[in-house]
Amino acid sequence: MNPVLLIAKVTFKELIREKILHGLLVVFFFISIFSLILGSLSFAEQVKMSLDFGLAVMQLSIVGISILLGAQLIQKEIERKTVFTLLVRPLHRYQYLLGKFFGLWALILFMIFLCCLFLSMCMLYFGGSYFKDVFTVGLGLWLEAGFLISIVMLLTQKVQVSVGIFGGIGIFLVGHWFETLKFLTQKNPSIVLESVYQGLSLVLPNLENWNWKSLVVYQQDIGIYQMALSSAEGLLWMIAYLFLAALIFEKRDLIFWFFFKNQITCIPIKHT
């Protein structure tokens, strides 16, 4: 079997047992059920409100899992020292990194499928068929998750896991803030705002390009061309950040990093 696929398969099996994964799934299911009994509005409003709320909870759950698990993919293996036994075999480091990425991305796809299926069944309870719309939102969310995994894997090559997690959350927020920043630069022309907007546009995608939730809720058509273009853009951003992550990982001194970290954490504390 291809080394990348083998590592992806092992990663998928390992991550699916993570407690944080189970916890977030349970939270999603309970909140989705709660949204169905919110109330006393008219039928049409209740369906729209439940769909919007359920999709928002699904997005936050998937984004949270992508950032939290993505930031720990490589570092956890280094701390356990399992990465050393793998890399002494005829295996390139970039293959190991790609296998980890695809393993987590496949797990995210499986989770999105479960969430979309559950949410579609909930909407079917009210007599509305939203299978196609919900799974379309799921596709955009899967692309967003892939980008976030790739960028936190890049960040954690140089910084600690906690910093990488906060960095991933910040990038998620900034990526969804592009439209607001663009509006501000047009409304109040400023060299500073324009420079910030242009600079961010060079290194980060506009995550709203994959956020099709509002289009589905308000029953606006998502063209095939738009979906194809957004998907291609997402794949290009993922490839770029995975390439940088693999480049750094190839040159990274893992043994020095491991012992340097242990040296810091094992400094004796003098009691007075």
Side-chain angles (χ1 to χ4, degrees):
M1 182 181 289
N2 185 285
V4 175
L5 296 178
L6 182 60
I7 294 172
K9 181 180 178 181
V10 173
T11 302
F12 182 91
K13 290 181 177 180
E14 288 179 351
L15 293 177
I16 204 168
R17 295 192 293 266
E18 287 283 343
K19 292 181 180 179
I20 186 174
L21 179 69
H22 303 157
L24 285 174
L25 277 176
V26 170
V27 169
F28 166 74
F29 290 141
F30 273 106
I31 293 180
S32 297
I33 292 173
F34 176 74
S35 69
L36 298 177
I37 56 176
L38 274 178
S40 54
L41 300 175
S42 68
F43 173 79
E45 290 176 340
Q46 186 177 7
V47 172
K48 185 181 294 185
M49 180 180 63
S50 299
L51 180 62
D52 190 18
F53 195 73
L55 290 173
V57 173
M58 181 173 71
Q59 181 184 30
L60 292 178
S61 300
I62 296 300
V63 166
I65 291 171
S66 301
I67 293 175
L68 290 174
L69 295 184
Q72 302 176 54
L73 271 180
I74 303 297
Q75 303 296 6
K76 185 181 289 186
E77 299 297 333
I78 296 176
E79 292 174 1
R80 292 175 177 173
K81 295 186 283 188
T82 54
V83 67
F84 301 117
T85 59
L86 287 171
L87 294 180
V88 295
R89 300 177 182 181
L91 176 72
H92 294 287
R93 289 191 179 189
Y94 76 87
Q95 291 177 318
Y96 179 77
L97 184 139
L98 288 177
K100 285 290 182 180
F101 169 80
F102 284 118
L104 178 54
W105 204 28
L107 177 67
I108 295 297
L109 178 62
F110 177 67
M111 285 188 57
I112 290 175
F113 174 78
L114 291 180
C115 292
C116 288
L117 185 62
F118 178 77
L119 194 57
S120 299
M121 295 300 291
C122 290
M123 294 301 102
L124 195 62
Y125 173 78
F126 289 109
S129 180
Y130 288 90
F131 282 92
K132 179 183 176 182
D133 296 332
V134 170
F135 278 94
T136 299
V137 175
L139 172 62
L141 184 53
W142 188 50
L143 293 170
E144 181 180 45
F147 165 73
L148 291 172
I149 295 169
S150 65
I151 201 166
V152 293
M153 288 182 73
L154 172 62
L155 290 175
T156 51
Q157 298 301 316
K158 288 296 185 181
V159 299
Q160 297 293 330
V161 171
S162 57
V163 179
I165 290 173
F166 283 111
I169 295 172
I171 289 169
F172 168 75
L173 295 175
V174 170
H176 284 280
W177 189 55
F178 264 111
E179 294 297 330
T180 304
L181 185 59
K182 184 178 180 180
F183 173 77
L184 290 175
T185 55
Q186 294 173 347
K187 193 74 175 177
N188 301 305
S190 168
I191 297 178
V192 176
L193 283 176
E194 183 66 27
S195 300
V196 170
Y197 176 74
Q198 294 296 336
L200 290 174
S201 300
L202 293 175
V203 296
L204 294 176
N206 182 356
L207 297 184
E208 285 295 315
N209 291 339
W210 307 321
N211 185 17
W212 301 323
K213 177 169 63 70
S214 58
L215 297 179
V216 166
V217 171
Y218 295 103
Q219 299 180 344
Q220 299 178 17
D221 184 45
I222 305 173
I224 298 296
Y225 176 76
Q226 179 185 350
M227 290 177 60
L229 193 63
S230 298
S231 300
E233 180 191 5
L235 291 174
L236 288 175
W237 279 106
M238 275 182 264
I239 291 171
Y241 278 109
L242 284 173
F243 175 77
L244 293 175
L247 200 63
I248 296 174
F249 190 54
E250 284 284 348
K251 299 180 179 180
R252 185 175 176 185
D253 192 341
L254 300 177
I255 298 177
F256 173 79
W257 186 92
F258 174 77
F259 284 108
F260 178 73
K261 183 176 180 181
N262 285 347
Q263 188 80 12
I264 292 176
T265 55
C266 295
I267 293 176
I269 300 174
K270 294 182 178 180
H271 298 278
T272 56

